[in-house]
Amino acid sequence: MRVLKLGGSVITVKEKPMTADVGNIRRLAEEIAAAGPGRLVVVHGGGSFGHPVAKRHGIAEGFTSRGQALGFSKTHRAMVALNSLVVDALVDLAVPAVSVTPSSFVVTDGGRIGAADFDVVRRLVDGGITPVLYGDAVLDRSRGFSILSGDQLAARLAVELGASRLVFAVDVDGVYTSNPKLSPDAQLIERLPLGRMRELVEVGGALTTDVTGGMLGKVSEAAAAVEAGVEVLIVNASRPGVILKALRGEPVTGTVLTR
Ligand code: ADP
């Protein structure tokens, strides 16, 4: 049983609102199809679909005005649009993918998933179907609503469903000593013990604020899965063949998170 989180940085063009990277989506669907029928859950991020709309309406900050209801709706709709591109690409290649809407069964509390019933997802997987979930605008017990990240959802699913492997697909080779897009000297960390994150990865400083948002957030969400004994990998899905290998359990360049 594997959980694959497809990063918004890979399946969308991040700097262009509502723009999917259809080439990457098709290629990744091909790699998933080629990996063969095994138990798999796919979760994807929002990239240029969910994030700009959610930000415009302050959805992650919770309920502040009635006017946000339309923003909640539009954020969800943007994610549904992206989700259907991913599901269509998979079904076209005969992968039995089924969209599962996170906001219809997850209510967060302060942005965190509390008790949630993963029975439907579990039964789909047991039935040989590949559920495809995504980061979504969700209801929140204390804030009214919130944004549930694909990263948090993927890690929780990996724990709940007893996955052996959780693969985070991003647009860089893994976790580096600092953001590789900003610092040419950044070095890839192939094995990253959770407790040494702050010591090995540069945080703070003007150029590295992205670490806190992007990669540091991902590693923190993944921690629960690592603690539960799931093998967690962060790999580069922009490189052809990497996801195929990662799903097959073959060695691949990237970062393995360890206890
Ligand atoms: P996604 O949306 O695809 O899930 P994010 O964009 O949130 O992924 O995170 C991946 C990005 O994190 C990379 O594109 C990279 O620019 C950035 N990043 C920041 N710090 C680091 C780091 N120390 N190592 C690797 N990537 C980093």
Side-chain angles (χ1 to χ4, degrees), residues 29-207:
E30 283 165 6
E31 295 189 27
I32 292 168
R39 294 153 67 85
L40 174 69
V41 176
V42 175
V43 180
H44 64 80
S48 65
F49 279 69
H51 292 297
V53 199
K55 204 167 181 181
R56 204 174 312 130
H57 299 277
I59 303 303
E61 289 74 47
F63 177 85
T64 50
S65 77
R66 290 220 160 265
Q68 283 174 301
L70 190 58
F72 183 87
S73 157
K74 286 183 174 175
T75 303
H76 175 69
R77 185 182 62 167
M79 290 310 300
V80 169
L82 180 58
N83 182 251
S84 68
L85 297 177
V86 175
V87 173
D88 285 354
L90 289 167
V91 176
D92 284 350
L93 294 166
V95 175
V98 165
S99 170
V100 176
T101 303
S103 52
S104 69
F105 78 102
V106 176
V107 177
T108 53
D109 195 351
R112 309 300 306 169
I113 306 173
D117 186 353
F118 292 93
D119 193 46
V120 167
V121 179
R122 193 175 291 115
R123 285 174 188 272
L124 285 169
V125 175
D126 287 346
I129 290 166
T130 299
V132 185
L133 300 93
Y134 45 95
D136 201 3
V138 296
L139 294 173
D140 187 281
R141 280 179 219 290
S142 43
R143 295 180 193 160
F145 41 66
S146 186
I147 294 296
L148 168 62
S149 75
D151 290 338
Q152 184 187 160
L153 183 58
R156 179 66 183 265
L157 281 162
V159 173
E160 292 282 340
L161 276 63
S164 52
R165 190 167 250 227
L166 166 60
V167 180
F168 286 96
V170 292
D171 66 343
V172 292
D173 282 344
V175 185
Y176 285 72
T177 46
S178 60
N179 188 346
K181 288 192 179 159
L182 301 176
S183 35
D185 300 336
Q187 301 208 341
L188 179 65
I189 305 169
E190 291 183 355
R191 292 186 71 81
L192 176 59
L194 287 175
R196 297 187 62 200
M197 175 82 188
R198 291 199 172 265
E199 169 197 340
L200 297 174
V201 181
E202 198 183 307
V203 278
L207 289 183

